[in-house]
């Protein structure tokens, strides 16, 4: 019997990196609402009472990036008062230009907007077809936000992180070894209250009992204090949580970030398409696990390569799986955009708690292959 531990992390919507992702994706969605052919590549940087928004927009949309950023800050629930970022008084710098004509000439004819490699993955170990560790880490992060906003635990702040360690036996998840939660809180709340409340109202409400036992370890705010958070506690940057966004490290990642990019950027759209295909390879019974890689060249429409790995769980030959993919799916950038309907302003739905495993997103739909 082979035993091993595997760990994945997630973060709440108030984490400074996720704040930046959400500002970038909200700008993208606002552009798409007004002009579905918008091309967007926006980066956001957050530091002490300053937000910097920069990038390229080619769009007919009229947007107010500063207003968008302040609304995002308000909706997340930053309080200011010297513990995170002051929504009303923080400085917001905006530097947005048009997409390079050198890139545009390749995209205009349906080619990829850049070279690169993308991966998609799925496993049957959860009903969402996601690895268990990242699946539970996201649910814990979502619950932290829920208990804060519903005032079940009103003293919690927006900034938080979760981490789950799963014990596997022969590649099957058996139990939870460790759960780690760190969340910003009001200054006058004792650590023991924070610990007990999070165990009762967050962990036990989310993690199935069958995975917990007397040896499961719980760590809540292990430094003992987490009052200062958000960009005041640490800088934030768009695209810095790519493993949180995907499979928690359980599957490979091509390296390209998602947030702030429209669907002509294959870093995002092809990763979504490959998740869709991998999920359906598993859902159709062709494998219990599936990882797919494709590569693109800038200005070239068709993928340069396709690779499939089923980790010896396949019920048909991997070569046959590749042929099914080629027969069923158009993997050109235009083909992906049309198939997944990626001209719609759906991207703020993806920003927090993972881009995969949410059934209301088009790449999560189960089809017959």
């Amino acid at each position: 019997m082979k035993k091993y531990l595997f760990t994945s992390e997630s973060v709440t919507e108030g984490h400074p990196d996720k704040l930046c992702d959400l500002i970038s994706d909200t700008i993208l969605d606002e552009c798409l609402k007004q002009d579905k052919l918008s091309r967007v590549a926006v980066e956001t940087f957050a530091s002490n009472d300053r937000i910097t928004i920069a990038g390229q927009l080619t769009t007919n949309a009229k947007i107010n990036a500063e207003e968008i950023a302040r609304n995002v800050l308000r909706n997340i629930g930053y309080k200011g008062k010297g513990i995170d970022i002051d929504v009303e008084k923080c400085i917001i710098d905006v530097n947005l230009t048009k997409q390079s004509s050198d890139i545009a000439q390749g995209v205009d004819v349906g080619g990829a907007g850049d070279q690169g490699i993308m991966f998609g993955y799925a496993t049957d170990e959860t009903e969402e077809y996601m690895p268990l560790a990242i699946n539970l880490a996201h649910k814990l992060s979502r619950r932290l936000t829920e208990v804060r906003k519903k005032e079940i635990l009103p003293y919690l702040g927006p900034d938080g992180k979760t981490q789950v360690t799963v014990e596997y036996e022969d590649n099957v998840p058996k139990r939870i070894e460790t759960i780690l939660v760190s969340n910003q809180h009001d200054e006058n709340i004792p650590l023991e209250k924070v610990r007990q409340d999070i165990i009762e109202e967050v962990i036990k409400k989310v993690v199935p009992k069958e995975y917990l036992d007397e040896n499961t370890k719980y760590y809540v705010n292990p430094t003992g204090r987490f009052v200062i958070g958000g960009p005041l506690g640490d800088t934030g940057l768009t695209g810095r949580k790519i493993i949180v966004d995907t499979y928690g490290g359980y599957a490979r990642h091509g390296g390209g970030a998602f947030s702030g990019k429209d669907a002509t950027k294959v870093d995002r759209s092809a990763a979504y398409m490959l998740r869709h295909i991998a999920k359906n390879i598993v859902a159709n019974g062709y494998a219990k696990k599936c990882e797919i890689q494709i590569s693109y060249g800038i200005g070239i429409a068709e993928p340069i390569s396709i690779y499939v790995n089923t980790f010896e769980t396949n019920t048909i030959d991997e070569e046959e799986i590749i042929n099914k993919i080629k027969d069923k799916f158009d993997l050109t950038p235009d083909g992906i955009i049309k198939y997944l309907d990626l001209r719609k302003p759906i991207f703020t739905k993806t920003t927090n708690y993972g881009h995969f495993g949410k059934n209301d997103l088009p790449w999560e739909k189960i089809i017959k292959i």
Side-chain angles (χ1 to χ4, degrees), residues 205-226:
K205 300 287 187 181
V206 167
V207 181
K209 291 179 181 179
E210 60 265 29
Y211 288 117
L212 303 175
D213 58 32
E214 66 276 9
N215 295 317
T216 300
K217 304 178 186 68
Y218 303 98
Y219 297 105
V220 177
N221 286 11
T223 64
R225 174 185 167 92
F226 188 178

Side-chain angles (χ1 to χ4, degrees), residues 16-259:
D17 293 330
K18 276 294 154 199
L19 159 66
C20 294
D21 283 345
L22 188 55
I23 290 172
S24 295
D25 274 338
T26 306
I27 290 171
L28 168 60
D29 273 1
E30 187 56 40
C31 289
L32 292 172
K33 286 176 187 176
Q34 299 180 44
D35 177 3
K36 68 178 184 179
L37 298 179
S38 296
R39 291 186 189 157
V40 178
V42 175
E43 313 290 341
T44 304
F45 173 70
S47 55
N48 182 13
D49 276 333
R50 182 183 292 268
I51 303 289
T52 301
I53 302 167
Q56 294 77 43
L57 302 181
T58 301
T59 181
N60 292 318
K62 305 297 182 186
I63 66 164
N64 185 329
E66 178 178 343
E67 182 181 349
I68 288 171
R70 292 196 194 278
N71 284 337
V72 168
L73 290 165
R74 289 188 195 99
N75 291 337
I76 289 174
Y78 285 109
K79 301 175 183 178
K81 301 177 183 178
I83 60 170
D84 41 50
I85 188 167
D86 191 316
V87 177
E88 307 304 330
K89 295 181 181 179
C90 67
I91 297 167
I92 298 183
D93 298 319
V94 179
N95 182 13
L96 296 172
T97 59
K98 290 190 70 172
Q99 183 183 57
S100 160
S101 59
D102 291 344
I103 296 175
Q105 69 180 351
V107 179
D108 289 342
V109 295
D114 200 356
Q115 69 177 48
I117 58 172
M118 298 86 210
F119 287 91
Y121 180 78
T123 173
D124 67 355
E125 66 186 54
T126 64
E127 64 180 20
E128 294 88 355
Y129 294 89
M130 290 289 288
L132 181 62
I134 189 66
N135 184 267
L136 291 177
H138 285 323
K139 289 180 178 179
L140 289 167
S141 291
R142 189 187 291 274
R143 178 65 178 170
L144 284 171
T145 298
E146 181 181 28
V147 297
R148 171 175 63 89
K149 289 190 168 181
K150 289 185 175 179
E151 299 191 339
I152 297 169
L153 302 179
Y155 60 81
L156 293 183
D159 194 355
K161 301 179 79 172
T162 65
Q163 189 168 286
V164 176
T165 300
V166 175
E167 182 180 292
Y168 283 79
E169 290 181 7
D170 292 334
N171 296 317
V172 176
K174 290 297 183 181
R175 57 179 294 275
I176 303 299
E177 170 71 14
T178 306
I179 297 174
L180 170 61
V181 177
S182 295
N183 204 98
Q184 186 184 11
H185 58 86
D186 289 349
E187 188 168 14
N188 60 345
I189 306 299
L191 172 62
E192 189 54 34
K193 178 172 175 54
V194 176
R195 185 177 189 277
Q196 286 303 121
D197 284 351
I198 285 179
I199 289 173
E200 293 299 322
E201 293 294 338
V202 178
I203 294 173
K204 289 186 178 180
K205 300 287 187 181
V206 167
V207 181
K209 291 179 181 179
E210 60 265 29
Y211 288 117
L212 303 175
D213 58 32
E214 66 276 9
N215 295 317
T216 300
K217 304 178 186 68
Y218 303 98
Y219 297 105
V220 177
N221 286 11
T223 64
R225 174 185 167 92
F226 188 178
V227 174
I228 295 173
L232 183 58
D234 194 7
T235 57
L237 185 66
T238 299
R240 198 153 57 181
K241 283 289 176 281
I242 58 175
I243 302 303
V244 171
D245 288 344
T246 52
Y247 307 102
Y250 204 79
R252 285 175 282 195
H253 189 292
F258 298 157
S259 290

Side-chain angles (χ1 to χ4, degrees), residues 246-284:
T246 52
Y247 307 102
Y250 204 79
R252 285 175 282 195
H253 189 292
F258 298 157
S259 290
K261 297 176 181 178
D262 74 274
T264 65
K265 282 73 172 175
V266 285
D267 277 340
R268 186 171 210 166
S269 55
Y272 290 172
M273 189 66 172
L274 292 181
R275 160 63 180 174
H276 176 68
I277 297 171
K279 181 176 181 178
N280 279 286
I281 293 298
V282 176
N284 278 257

